[in-house]
Structures are given as structure tokens and as C-alpha cells.
């Protein structure tokens, strides 16, 4: 039995489908890089805000204990009582020691290596192939 096409049947030609796919590919190629740049900027903003929040928690720790945690005690002192500390009123943070938006631990150092700061609290920032990557630190 032979099949015949009817003149009133409608459909898309292969050329029309290829044109639509090409247009979609161009749109994705133009929009995706901009969206990824926005995501990277948002993570940096979250890291800065997290550093400020942890800094506030460190200030609460200092009010209770009298000093900031040592480098050896680190941020773990905000979650578990360090040995030899009697005035600890924690835990100061729930859920354990926080990590930065790239799932790396924050770097904490007391005393600070920067002038005008009591301690250093930094995120290494986004993983980048450039060697000029600057860490995101407390102000």
C-alpha cells in the first residue's frame, strides 16, 4: 500500500528545525557566560558577608573569654570549648565550623599579620588559574 502526502498536512522542515537549534545555541552561548559571571560575583559577596558574620561571633567570644581564639584553637573554639578556657559560653556557632562558598575552610590567624587588625580571617577566594588571586579577608 503506497502512502501519499496530503496537501493540507503541516509540519516543520529539517531546515526550519536546524535554524531554531542554531538560534537557541547562539542565545545560550551569549547568556551562559553572563550568568556564570553573576554567580561568581554572588559567591564573593557571600564570602565577604560570612567573614563579617564570623567576625561578629569572634567579638562575642572575646567578650566572654577576654581574648580571641589562638591560631592553634582556630575557629573550632567557636564550636567546642578549648582546653584551659573557663569563661566559654558557647557554642557560638551551630552546625560546626563554617566553610567558604567554594567549600574550603576559612583561614584564621591570631595575632594578625596585617597592621591595624587584631586577627586575620580570610577565604582563599574562587579557584583560579591565575597566580594573582587575592584572598578575601576581614576589613
Amino acid at each position: 500500500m503506497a502512502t501519499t502526502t496530503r496537501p493540507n498536512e503541516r509540519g516543520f522542515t529539517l531546515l526550519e528545525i536546524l535554524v531554531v537549534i542554531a538560534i537557541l545555541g547562539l542565545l545560550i552561548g551569549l547568556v551562559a557566560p553572563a550568568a556564570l559571571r553573576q554567580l561568581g560575583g554572588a559567591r564573593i559577596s557571600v564570602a565577604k558577608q560570612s567573614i563579617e558574620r564570623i567576625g561578629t561571633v569572634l567579638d562575642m567570644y572575646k567578650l566572654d573569654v577576654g581574648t580571641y581564639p589562638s591560631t592553634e584553637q582556630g575557629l573550632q573554639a567557636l564550636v567546642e570549648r578549648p582546653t584551659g578556657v573557663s569563661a566559654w559560653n558557647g557554642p557560638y556557632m551551630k552546625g560546626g565550623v563554617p566553610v567558604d562558598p567554594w567549600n574550603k575552610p576559612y583561614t584564621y590567624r591570631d595575632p594578625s599579620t596585617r597592621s591595624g587588625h587584631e586577627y586575620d580571617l580570610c577565604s582563599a577566594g574562587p579557584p583560579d588559574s591565575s597566580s594573582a588571586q587575592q584572598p578575601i579577608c576581614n576589613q
Side-chain angles (χ1 to χ4, degrees):
M1 198 182 229
T3 59
T4 59
T5 58
R6 298 184 184 123
N8 62 353
E9 288 184 17
R10 295 185 172 210
F12 295 106
T13 66
L14 180 59
L15 182 60
E16 291 170 330
I17 292 172
L18 289 175
V19 167
V20 169
I21 290 173
I23 291 171
L24 288 173
L26 284 172
L27 286 174
I28 290 171
L30 294 173
V31 172
L36 290 175
R37 276 192 301 275
Q38 288 293 335
L39 177 62
R43 284 184 174 181
I44 290 172
S45 177
V46 166
K48 289 179 181 179
Q49 291 172 2
S50 294
I51 287 170
E52 286 182 31
R53 182 179 59 84
I54 297 168
T56 302
V57 173
L58 285 166
D59 290 340
M60 289 173 34
Y61 179 95
K62 182 180 179 182
L63 284 173
D64 289 344
V65 176
T67 62
Y68 289 109
S70 67
T71 301
E72 293 76 28
Q73 293 167 336
L75 297 178
Q76 189 65 32
L78 302 175
V79 179
E80 295 176 1
R81 178 190 304 266
T83 56
V85 175
S86 59
W88 191 80
N89 289 325
Y92 296 90
M93 300 191 86
K94 294 182 181 180
V97 177
V99 293
D100 70 8
W102 300 276
N103 286 328
K104 303 290 183 202
Y106 287 101
T107 304
Y108 173 77
R109 187 174 29 255
D110 180 61
S112 176
T113 58
R114 301 177 295 151
S115 62
H117 294 86
E118 295 186 73
Y119 60 87
D120 291 332
L121 180 60
C122 301
S123 166
D128 194 7
S129 59
S130 74
S131 60
Q133 179 67 34
Q134 292 292 323
I136 302 164
C137 294
N138 58 315
Q139 299 296 321

